[in-house]
């Protein structure tokens, strides 16, 4: 579901927070945040995680492809054989890494993420530019309590 980010909400500008879908909320506990937190970044924008969140690194697929194509011979047939060997030796773990990397890019795109790092809670709230996930989650919690 694509996200839309209201540009006119004053609290969004003040907090760097976008409310994607209006919801009525009850009491919120930090434990709920840990189950519903998505962090989107890349290797050039490191984040300080809090544990339990899903981390998407948008350049992960590129890094995997670079591993597979490192030091390939110039001869196309030999390069093909070597890449196939690397793919086979990686087994299901490599296949999972590749699938997860591309799924992460798709998920970030479908949420409408516009910059990184981005911390998304409940697929409804996002804080951009905060590398400390716990601080971003605290800002969202503060906003949710002030805007029930």
């Amino acid at each position: 579901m694509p996200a839309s980010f209201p540009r006119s909400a004053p609290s969004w500008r003040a907090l760097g927070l976008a409310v994607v879908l209006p919801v009525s909320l009850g009491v919120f506990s930090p434990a709920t945040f840990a189950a519903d937190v998505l962090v989107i970044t890349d290797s050039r924008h490191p984040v300080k995680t809090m544990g339990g969140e899903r981390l998407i690194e948008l350049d992960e697929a590129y890094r995997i492809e670079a591993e597979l194509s490192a030091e390939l011979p110039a001869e196309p047939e030999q390069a093909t054989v070597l890449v196939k060997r690397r793919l086979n030796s990686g087994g299901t773990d490599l296949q999972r890494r590749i699938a997860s990397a591309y799924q992460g890019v798709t998920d970030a795109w479908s949420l409408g993420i516009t910059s990184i790092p981005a911390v998304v809670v409940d697929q409804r709230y996002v804080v951009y530019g905060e590398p400390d996930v716990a601080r971003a989650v605290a800002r969202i919690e503060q906003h949710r309590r002030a805007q029930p």
Side-chain angles (χ1 to χ4, degrees), residues 33-43 45-60 100-101 103-105 107-108 111 113 115-123 125-137 140:
F33 271 123
D36 301 326
V37 176
L38 176 63
V39 180
I40 302 162
T41 192
D42 66 12
S43 60
H45 298 87
V47 293
K48 180 181 175 191
T49 60
M50 51 181 206
E53 64 273 85
R54 179 178 170 211
L55 178 65
I56 295 174
E57 291 187 5
L58 296 176
D59 57 353
E60 178 68 14
S100 176
Q103 184 62 55
V105 171
D107 292 346
L111 286 168
I113 298 304
S115 64
I116 54 175
V119 177
V120 181
V121 173
D122 292 339
Q123 295 185 3
Y125 302 91
V126 62
V127 172
Y128 288 110
E130 175 58 68
D132 186 324
V133 176
R135 260 197 304 227
V137 168
I140 291 170

Side-chain angles (χ1 to χ4, degrees), residues 72-135:
L72 290 177
E75 167 59 39
E77 288 90 23
Q78 291 175 348
T80 300
V81 168
L82 185 55
V83 169
K84 285 181 180 180
R85 187 177 311 137
R86 289 176 182 175
L87 285 168
N88 289 332
S89 69
T92 57
D93 180 54
L94 178 60
Q95 291 173 13
R96 271 193 294 269
R97 284 179 56 212
I98 293 169
S100 176
Y102 282 108
Q103 184 62 55
V105 171
T106 301
D107 292 346
W109 176 81
S110 71
L111 286 168
I113 298 304
T114 59
S115 64
I116 54 175
V119 177
V120 181
V121 173
D122 292 339
Q123 295 185 3
R124 293 180 177 97
Y125 302 91
V126 62
V127 172
Y128 288 110
E130 175 58 68
D132 186 324
V133 176
R135 260 197 304 227

Side-chain angles (χ1 to χ4, degrees), residues 1-4 6 18-25 122-125:
M1 145 175 54
S4 62
V19 180
V20 177
L21 296 174
V23 297
S24 41
L25 302 169
D122 292 339
Q123 295 185 3
R124 293 180 177 97
Y125 302 91

